[in-house]
Amino acid sequence: MSRAEKLTDQILERIKGKDVKVKREDILRRMKLLIEEFKVPESEAVRTIMNYLVREYGIPREELFDRDSPLVKIADISKVNQWVSLRAKVVQLWDSNSPNVSQVGLIGDETGIVKFVVWAKASQPEVEEGKSYIFRNVVTDSFQGRMQINVTRTSRIEEIDEDIQLPPREIEVVGSMVAIQQNSGLVKRCNECGRVLNKGVCHQHGKVEGYDDLRIKAVIDDGENVYEIILNEENIKELTGIGLDEALKIAHETLDRNAVLAELKNMLLGRYFRVKGLRGGRYLLVKEISVHKPKADDFNEILEALA
Amino acid sequence: MMRRREVAKRVFAYELLRSTHQIESEGLRYVLTPTGERVNRIFSVAVLLDKEEIGADTNNWRLRLADPTGTFYATVGKFQPEALEAINEMNVPELVAIVGKPRVFEGVSRKLISIRPENIVAVDLSVRDYWVLETARRTLERIEAMEKREGEDVELAWTVYDPDLNEYREMVKKALLTVKEDVEIMEKLEESPHEDEPEEEFDFEEFEFEEEEFDLTDLLED
């Protein structure tokens, strides 16, 4: 069956059972003309023909266009192959490693978070992390035992001016600390607002005295994704034995505040950590962090699978 | 939109050494490995065998590193300040974790891959052990994807390298076996830290000193 024939049948499917007689050849001829001759994008061809049906056959516009799938909450998605609409926020986008996938990531609403896949063939506008949308006519699916949402060519994505709240999401990752970012180590914070000072200057309050604090902004990389985390003094002391007092001592002895960061980098970079935390915006808010070590059983498991 | 930080891929030296194909995409350079991994950044744990300054006082260093599957090179210069600082202070041999960018260079007779480290840090054996485990897992996933012919990079890897996947499976196996024993010993030690080898008390009684050797009185009298 040609693409034009498939689309024609999809349109006819929509008006099946309505009290109108539409000739398949009529629609098909127009569809072929638009797609095959004039090379109009499929979505435009479909829209043009639906408009034609509204005009010529008097089919109410709502019946053709607004047959939106019911609006549901993510937590209620449990079956595959259900056509639904969702009001959701894009939580995270991953790099797509297939040319067939235009975007892949997570979307969430107040009730939960689910993976979504926008197929390249769906030719949809790109969504952005942190923005909220109505995902109309998306279809539920299951991949490797977990539910996901597929955005297809019949779906519609509309941005909405609303910030959908997400449930707190705890995640656990094991990864290597591949980088420690600027403004880490022994820092000075503003006495008024607690922001980290840049050369003794606060963004908000100008030149202030400031007070000492210890913190690390780091990148945890598990080979598949990167996570930015912030470690506070307590976390740092637990991992390295260096707390604020020790850090100040190092700074005094070396006459160099940067020596603290160098020391911390030596102790932390390249190591594997298990991090439990809440995803909030850009940073993973650390609840627990510990050094991760391998187990002999893990090796045996793969070796057995290899044998 | 802010550019997403590139993930550091896990690739064994054996596979890295056989990577000769580069891809340019959206202003970034990637190395394609024989099992279809697209690498802009790499994370490796290896032994730094040798560091050699390329020309006297240039502060450009050539590093030779080895993981359980092979030896590879890295170069550090002034554009990698963090790595440079670390290298200046490091003695060889040393087990290191290294994050860096792989680059393919065309030599006269063959292509050579080298890493530009972003940072390099001395680590302990458990880091190496977990890295081997993780890299083994990832490599096997890629081998599986190659078999299923999933995706553009996989197809490209078949065209460019036409790899013998069994060769890569053997490499993974070898790497796992190399460190497995190590991990088992570590586990035993942790279970019973002091039972295996009770520390012998040093017996000073058995030492007999010749009195005069230690008699310094004549020195003091001078």
Side-chain angles (χ1 to χ4, degrees):
Chain A
M1 200 188 272
S2 75
R3 196 61 217 155
E5 281 174 310
K6 267 192 197 146
L7 290 171
T8 302
D9 288 346
Q10 277 178 23
I11 291 177
L12 290 171
E13 185 67 25
R14 291 204 151 207
I15 52 173
K16 204 169 71 177
K18 298 286 174 305
D19 197 18
V20 280
K21 281 272 176 286
V22 177
K23 284 206 184 78
R24 185 171 186 271
E25 306 88 83
D26 180 25
I27 307 291
L28 185 57
R29 189 173 49 79
R30 283 166 188 279
M31 189 65 86
K32 276 187 173 161
L33 187 67
L34 288 167
I35 293 181
E36 291 165 14
E37 298 271 319
F38 297 158
K39 311 287 181 206
V40 167
E42 285 181 6
S43 57
E44 278 310 309
V46 169
R47 183 181 313 180
T48 308
I49 287 173
M50 303 234 282
N51 278 330
Y52 167 77
L53 289 172
V54 171
R55 267 196 329 271
E56 292 297 311
Y57 293 87
I59 300 167
R61 183 169 280 275
E62 307 80 65
E63 299 233 341
L64 269 180
F65 287 96
D66 288 323
R67 297 203 331 162
D68 275 337
S69 318
L71 205 57
V72 301
K73 293 287 177 210
I74 286 173
D76 297 331
I77 297 169
S78 56
K79 284 192 207 137
V80 300
N81 273 330
Q82 305 274 307
W83 288 87
V84 296
S85 298
L86 300 166
R87 291 170 76 85
K89 175 152 127 185
V90 179
V91 180
Q92 188 183 17
L93 292 170
W94 301 318
D95 291 334
S96 150
N97 42 25
S98 161
N100 300 328
V101 172
S102 121
Q103 284 189 299
V104 57
L106 298 172
I107 55 172
D109 65 15
E110 309 79 24
T111 68
I113 283 169
V114 70
K115 181 179 163 191
F116 82 114
V117 177
V118 184
W119 298 95
K121 275 188 177 172
S123 40
Q124 296 283 348
E126 294 214 330
V127 295
E128 275 179 48
E129 267 179 30
K131 286 193 174 169
S132 299
Y133 301 86
I134 297 186
F135 294 84
R136 290 195 198 277
N137 302 325
V138 293
V139 61
T140 62
D141 191 8
S142 157
F143 181 70
Q144 293 180 344
R146 297 178 71 174
M147 294 305 294
Q148 74 172 43
I149 295 296
N150 289 332
V151 179
T152 70
R153 72 177 82 227
T154 49
S155 309
R156 264 182 300 140
I157 304 177
E158 294 161 19
E159 192 180 335
I160 51 174
D161 190 19
E162 182 187 346
D163 187 31
I164 290 173
Q165 292 303 306
L166 301 173
R169 185 164 71 108
E170 193 173 286
I171 60 171
E172 191 175 311
V173 288
V174 172
S176 155
M177 192 178 286
V178 292
I180 290 181
Q181 298 170 335
Q182 286 185 328
N183 291 326
S184 293
L186 191 55
V187 294
K188 279 220 186 275
R189 289 184 185 279
C190 174
N191 312 62
E192 304 249 352
C193 61
R195 281 194 186 87
V196 171
L197 304 181
N198 187 5
K199 289 176 184 154
V201 177
C202 171
H203 254 335
Q204 198 82 38
H205 302 96
K207 200 159 177 66
V208 290
E209 178 77 20
Y211 62 94
D212 289 308
D213 191 17
L214 196 61
R215 73 105 174 255
I216 286 177
K217 288 160 86 175
V219 181
I220 298 285
D221 180 320
D222 67 358
E224 215 164 333
N225 283 300
V226 289
Y227 305 86
E228 288 179 291
I229 63 170
I230 296 180
L231 301 178
N232 60 21
E233 192 217 335
E234 203 182 316
N235 299 138
I236 297 168
K237 180 148 189 172
E238 205 180 297
L239 290 177
T240 65
I242 299 177
L244 186 57
D245 292 343
E246 291 80 2
L248 286 168
K249 210 172 134 203
I250 294 171
H252 282 305
E253 278 168 7
T254 57
L255 298 172
D256 181 6
R257 290 172 74 88
N258 291 325
V260 177
L261 183 57
E263 182 78 23
L264 291 174
K265 278 183 174 168
N266 269 332
M267 295 173 90
L268 295 171
L269 271 179
R271 272 70 162 189
Y272 282 99
F273 295 96
R274 177 182 295 275
V275 184
K276 241 192 229 178
L278 293 175
R279 181 173 281 294
R282 180 172 165 191
Y283 292 97
L284 189 66
L285 306 174
V286 177
K287 284 177 75 182
E288 277 173 43
I289 180 163
S290 58
V291 174
H292 185 71
K293 290 197 170 136
K295 293 196 181 66
D297 282 350
D298 299 333
F299 287 81
N300 292 329
E301 203 175 290
I302 311 186
L303 283 166
E304 272 165 33
L306 260 174
Chain B
M1 207 180 88
M2 210 175 67
R3 172 163 255 163
R4 178 165 293 279
R5 184 191 162 92
E6 286 284 325
V7 171
K9 302 295 172 64
R10 278 45 162 180
V11 182
F12 283 122
Y14 185 90
E15 181 172 354
L16 189 69
L17 290 171
R18 283 156 184 76
S19 307
T20 52
H21 186 77
Q22 292 200 120
I23 306 167
E24 304 254 351
S25 163
E26 293 172 35
L28 285 179
R29 214 181 299 168
Y30 298 88
V31 169
L32 181 75
T33 77
T35 62
E37 182 72 283
R38 184 189 274 254
V39 184
N40 167 269
R41 178 178 278 130
I42 199 168
F43 176 66
S44 177
V45 179
V47 181
L48 175 62
L49 295 171
D50 223 341
K51 60 171 198 180
E52 181 193 356
E53 199 164 6
I54 312 165
D57 295 328
T58 54
N59 230 353
N60 272 311
W61 295 86
R62 190 144 102 117
L63 315 179
R64 196 157 59 89
L65 299 125
D67 77 10
T69 70
T71 308
F72 60 101
Y73 289 93
T75 46
V76 178
K78 64 178 174 198
F79 296 113
Q80 296 80 40
E82 276 198 36
L84 188 60
E85 200 184 318
I87 280 302
N88 272 312
E89 286 170 14
M90 208 172 273
N91 293 314
V92 294
E94 178 76 272
L95 185 67
V96 296
I98 167 171
V99 180
K101 306 252 179 178
R103 288 288 175 260
V104 176
F105 296 95
E106 292 237 19
V108 184
S109 58
R110 65 195 180 107
K111 290 178 175 174
L112 190 76
I113 193 153
S114 169
I115 306 289
R116 283 254 175 213
E118 293 169 327
N119 61 54
I120 184 164
V121 197
V123 293
D124 65 24
L125 285 174
S126 72
V127 177
R128 197 268 321 264
D129 295 344
Y130 191 76
W131 177 79
V132 169
L133 180 69
E134 191 191 26
T135 308
R137 277 192 190 131
R138 298 278 177 214
T139 308
L140 292 176
E141 277 169 21
R142 296 198 295 266
I143 291 174
E144 205 175 299
M146 286 291 280
E147 281 172 334
K148 290 185 188 158
R149 293 194 167 257
E150 282 172 353
E152 192 185 11
D153 291 340
V154 161
E155 281 306 326
L156 190 57
W158 276 118
T159 316
V160 175
Y161 300 106
D162 191 23
D164 173 2
L165 294 179
N166 276 329
E167 188 184 314
Y168 287 92
R169 262 199 210 90
E170 275 306 307
M171 164 202 77
V172 169
K173 198 167 157 186
K174 208 185 109 199
L176 286 170
L177 288 171
T178 316
V179 302
K180 191 184 108 152
E181 203 180 333
D182 209 62
V183 176
E184 281 166 347
I185 292 168
M186 294 291 280
E187 273 187 7
K188 279 210 190 89
L189 282 178
E190 268 175 30
E191 277 165 26
S192 49
H194 298 299
E195 273 171 36
D196 293 347
E197 278 178 63
E199 256 184 72
E200 261 179 56
E201 292 259 340
F202 193 82
D203 192 356
F204 287 95
E205 301 298 311
E206 279 183 22
F207 254 63
E208 275 177 36
F209 296 107
E210 300 280 328
E211 283 284 325
E212 57 268 36
E213 273 187 47
F214 288 88
D215 190 359
L216 305 174
T217 42
D218 45 342
L219 275 175
L220 291 169
E221 273 163 17
D222 272 349

